[in-house]
Amino acid sequence: MVDKVVQVSVSVNSEAIIRTVEPRQSLADFIRNELELTGTHVGCEHGVCGACTVRLDGRIVRGCLTLAVQADGCTVETIEGLTESGEIADLQEAFVTRNAAQCGFCTPGMLLTAAELLSSDPGASRDEIRKHISGNYCRCTGYQAVVDAIETTGRRRIGEAS
């Protein structure tokens, strides 16, 4: 049996990429193994833990549940891209200040998820923050520090003291 491959053309962190991939390769594996962008983590491989979260055409998706071929013609942004652009610098600083990035495994997915929330609702309540990040598992922080960091960043963005 001959292995079938498909060509994909995708923009990853503003860089045009053309590669051939196996039709069943996940977007997370493509990003990590083909592009060597290892900030996107693979945890449960069932879309439950959030470690593989990336942006696809401006919306967060689970990279383990999305096939690389589904990203053909799309724009993908990873934690490396958001970091390099400076878009989440204030959020990253708050994660460090509030000790919300302990082992770091969940942090990239958590940051992407938090960035999505803060872009639409920087004044989100603590309950809204908890609900929005509920699909991102963290085994270290107990979420209190994560919620603190997201709340602090949101308040600063809308001009409130924190």
Side-chain angles (χ1 to χ4, degrees), residues 137-148:
Y137 290 171
C138 176
R139 298 181 81 182
C140 300
T141 67
Y143 298 94
Q144 188 70 26
V146 173
V147 174
D148 290 346

Side-chain angles (χ1 to χ4, degrees), residues 25-151:
Q25 184 178 35
S26 73
L27 182 57
D29 285 342
F30 174 72
I31 290 167
R32 288 184 60 80
N33 301 331
E34 302 294 324
L35 305 182
E36 298 180 355
L37 297 170
T38 57
T40 301
H41 295 150
V42 178
C44 68
E45 297 187 69
H46 295 284
V48 191
C49 74
C52 64
T53 303
V54 296
R55 274 193 200 157
L56 182 65
D57 286 342
R59 301 197 64 194
I60 61 169
V61 299
R62 299 295 194 241
C64 72
L65 296 180
T66 306
L67 298 174
V69 296
Q70 290 176 289
D72 187 36
C74 296
T75 298
V76 176
E77 295 168 283
T78 68
I79 190 67
E80 291 90 348
L82 270 64
T83 298
E84 189 173 299
S85 73
E87 177 183 337
I88 60 171
D90 58 344
L91 187 55
Q92 289 171 308
E93 181 182 332
F95 265 60
V96 170
T97 302
R98 298 292 184 157
N99 200 29
Q102 291 184 9
C103 85
F105 192 81
C106 73
T107 305
M110 199 72 80
L111 287 166
L112 282 155
T113 302
E116 179 186 63
L117 173 63
L118 293 178
S119 71
S120 63
D121 187 7
S125 70
R126 293 181 70 80
D127 285 341
E128 291 167 328
I129 293 168
R130 284 186 181 281
K131 182 177 180 182
H132 196 80
I133 65 169
S134 65
N136 293 77
Y137 290 171
C138 176
R139 298 181 81 182
C140 300
T141 67
Y143 298 94
Q144 188 70 26
V146 173
V147 174
D148 290 346
I150 296 168
E151 181 184 43

